[in-house]
Amino acid sequence: MFNFLRVFFVALFMLQACLVQASTQSNALDKGSALGVALEKLSVLQGFSADFEQVLTYAEGGKRVYLGQLAVLRPGKFRWHYVKPYEQLYVSNGDGIWLYEPDLLQAQKLQDLGDVDPIVMQLLDGRVSLDDVQVLQHESFDDGLSSWHVRIGRKEQQVEVWLGVKAQQLIWIESRDMLSNRNRLHLQHMKQIPPAAEIFEFTAPEGVDVIGAIE
């Protein structure tokens, strides 16, 4: 079965093809700008939940669309629930990650959180300092949307992403690779209140095979 979260983290969060060229000119983020205010709001939240639409658009034509719900709770807790085109659940209470695939009646305990905690995940978790955001390009549109091409991080950890902001709220995150493929995560119906801690715990339902569990 197709691994949605692997696509998300590899193609969006861990995209090394978007590392910045040394000659790229950038400017410090204006903390009073729409993006600065949006990121500051995100940084002070204890947690949030939202629906999401993830769209992978390929340069040669075609796209894939995934729908689901996302919840984040500091520190280090997240829940990705893919609903369409079929169901997969990834959930972490900060100690490893559970992958649950209802159609396969299978659950797996993944070992390492390190691979899913790069800079953009830190952005969603409110752990990115505004001082570590450099603006490469900014464009505003008539409908109140603004698009920001930014560099996030320091030194060898820097990556480039595109961020969409409307009404001083982050509404999408996009990565692009060197082949001009795009991976955009739209955040919808965001609730800026901490989700209940129990939703980040996982117990395999009766009859589900559990593999790779680590005690």
Side-chain angles (χ1 to χ4, degrees):
M1 184 173 287
F2 195 79
N3 191 316
F4 297 132
L5 197 67
R6 186 181 302 278
V7 168
F8 184 76
F9 285 124
V10 172
L12 177 60
F13 289 166
M14 301 179 68
L15 189 64
Q16 297 305 309
C18 287
L19 291 178
V20 181
Q21 298 292 330
S23 60
T24 303
Q25 184 177 0
S26 63
N27 298 297
L29 175 66
D30 177 359
K31 298 180 182 180
S33 67
L35 178 60
V37 172
L39 295 182
E40 177 64 23
K41 287 181 177 179
L42 200 59
S43 73
V44 300
L45 294 177
Q46 288 184 284
F48 70 89
S49 59
D51 297 330
F52 71 80
E53 178 184 64
Q54 181 187 352
V55 181
L56 278 66
T57 305
Y58 301 104
E60 71 276 11
K63 66 180 181 181
R64 288 178 173 175
V65 179
Y66 310 108
L67 303 177
Q69 294 88 38
L70 162 68
V72 172
L73 182 65
R74 294 184 182 180
K77 297 179 174 64
F78 65 84
R79 180 185 177 92
W80 294 88
H81 187 190
Y82 284 87
V83 177
K84 294 182 178 180
Y86 45 82
E87 188 175 10
Q88 288 184 340
L89 172 65
Y90 297 79
V91 60
S92 175
N93 63 2
D95 179 23
I97 306 168
W98 280 100
L99 162 60
Y100 173 45
E101 299 176 280
D103 291 349
L104 299 181
L105 292 176
Q106 179 175 291
Q108 181 179 3
K109 182 71 176 293
L110 307 180
Q111 297 184 28
D112 191 1
L113 280 172
D115 287 343
V116 294
D117 194 28
I119 289 171
V120 181
M121 189 65 198
Q122 295 172 26
L123 174 70
L124 288 176
D125 198 21
R127 288 177 285 135
V128 169
S129 168
L130 299 189
D131 294 330
D132 293 336
V133 179
Q134 297 288 315
V135 177
L136 303 173
Q137 189 174 9
H138 166 228
E139 187 174 4
S140 296
F141 303 94
D142 292 339
D143 61 357
L145 174 69
S146 56
S147 174
W148 302 75
H149 178 193
V150 301
R151 173 191 302 166
I152 301 177
R154 298 180 180 181
K155 297 182 179 179
E156 69 278 0
Q157 297 298 318
Q158 290 178 338
V159 296
E160 288 185 20
V161 294
W162 286 255
L163 305 175
V165 175
K166 192 170 186 177
Q168 297 184 329
Q169 181 170 308
L170 182 67
I171 61 171
W172 53 257
I173 305 169
E174 178 178 290
S175 68
R176 304 174 187 177
D177 65 19
M178 296 187 70
L179 299 177
S180 297
N181 301 310
R182 299 187 178 197
N183 188 343
R184 179 176 291 193
L185 179 76
H186 298 261
L187 300 174
Q188 304 167 336
H189 313 121
M190 182 181 288
K191 298 178 181 178
Q192 298 183 354
I193 56 175
E198 54 264 27
I199 73 169
F200 303 97
E201 302 293 339
F202 178 79
T203 301
E206 185 176 354
V208 170
D209 291 331
V210 178
I211 61 176
I214 299 176
E215 300 298 335

